[in-house]
Amino acid sequence: MKSGYSLAQIGLHWLVAFMVPVQYLTGGSIERIHHAVHMGMTPSAWDVVQHQLHNYAGIAIGLLMGVRLALRIFQPPSPTAPGTRTGWIATALHHAFYAAIIGQACMGAVASYFWFGIAPYHVLGSKIILAMVALHLAAAAWHTLVARDETVDRMLLPHRKRPAKNV
């Protein structure tokens, strides 16, 4: 049996992975809307739609990451390389992802509904997450192309529970 993640953990991972690029594609609409309003112009309808998509997708990502975190706490995956430097780095990056993405969703909600002054930190957070995603993708490519191990398979195929042994 391969160690790995549950089907729910895999599904949530890929759902968030497909939603995060939406945030980068729609985030510019916010600046355009604020600029248009500041200039006394009416923002484009498409920018308003993108802004709403950005807000609600961001809230959804934050909630989904909260569910992922709960699953990780209650159903932790077995480490691929326990006690090694790469195992420690992988664990640290995954913990940083949870903190950064949940924090980013919280900052976005605050910027949208309570205090726009936090927006520069939200923008900085998006750049940090982008760098983390690049590192994550590079690690996945390294595991697949160089190490040729089964690390990436853990997020593609759900693990199966071991059958109970007869005593």
Side-chain angles (χ1 to χ4, degrees), residues 20 24 93 96-97 100-101 104 123-140:
V20 166
Y24 286 94
L93 181 61
F97 262 124
I101 294 175
Q104 184 73 346
V123 171
L124 177 62
S126 70
K127 293 175 182 175
I128 291 169
I129 291 169
L130 187 60
M132 291 169 61
V133 167
L135 183 59
H136 188 62
L137 290 172

Side-chain angles (χ1 to χ4, degrees), residues 16-167:
V16 169
F18 288 118
M19 291 176 75
V20 166
V22 169
Q23 298 306 92
Y24 286 94
L25 295 172
T26 59
S29 64
I30 299 166
E31 186 177 341
R32 290 190 299 273
I33 286 174
H34 285 276
H35 181 71
V37 169
H38 179 72
M39 299 300 289
M41 301 166 51
T42 302
S44 78
W46 181 238
D47 278 341
V48 173
V49 167
Q50 287 184 71
H51 186 233
Q52 294 301 314
L53 178 61
H54 185 87
N55 280 1
Y56 294 122
I59 291 168
I61 289 169
L63 293 172
L64 292 170
M65 286 299 289
V67 171
R68 281 190 67 190
L69 180 59
L71 282 173
R72 187 175 181 104
I73 290 168
F74 293 111
Q75 299 175 4
S78 55
T80 54
T84 65
R85 186 177 61 198
T86 56
W88 182 88
I89 291 169
T91 299
L93 181 61
H94 284 97
H95 290 158
F97 262 124
Y98 287 104
I101 294 175
I102 292 170
Q104 184 73 346
C106 292
M107 283 192 293
V110 168
S112 291
Y113 301 108
F114 302 108
W115 179 55
F116 193 69
I118 200 169
Y121 300 103
H122 184 68
V123 171
L124 177 62
S126 70
K127 293 175 182 175
I128 291 169
I129 291 169
L130 187 60
M132 291 169 61
V133 167
L135 183 59
H136 188 62
L137 290 172
W142 183 84
H143 278 286
T144 302
L145 302 172
V146 178
R148 296 184 185 267
D149 60 24
E150 297 175 342
T151 299
V152 175
D153 291 347
R154 291 165 34 109
M155 196 43 77
L156 297 174
L157 306 168
H159 73 282
R160 292 186 289 278
K161 294 188 181 194
R162 292 183 186 196
K165 292 184 178 182
N166 293 334
V167 178

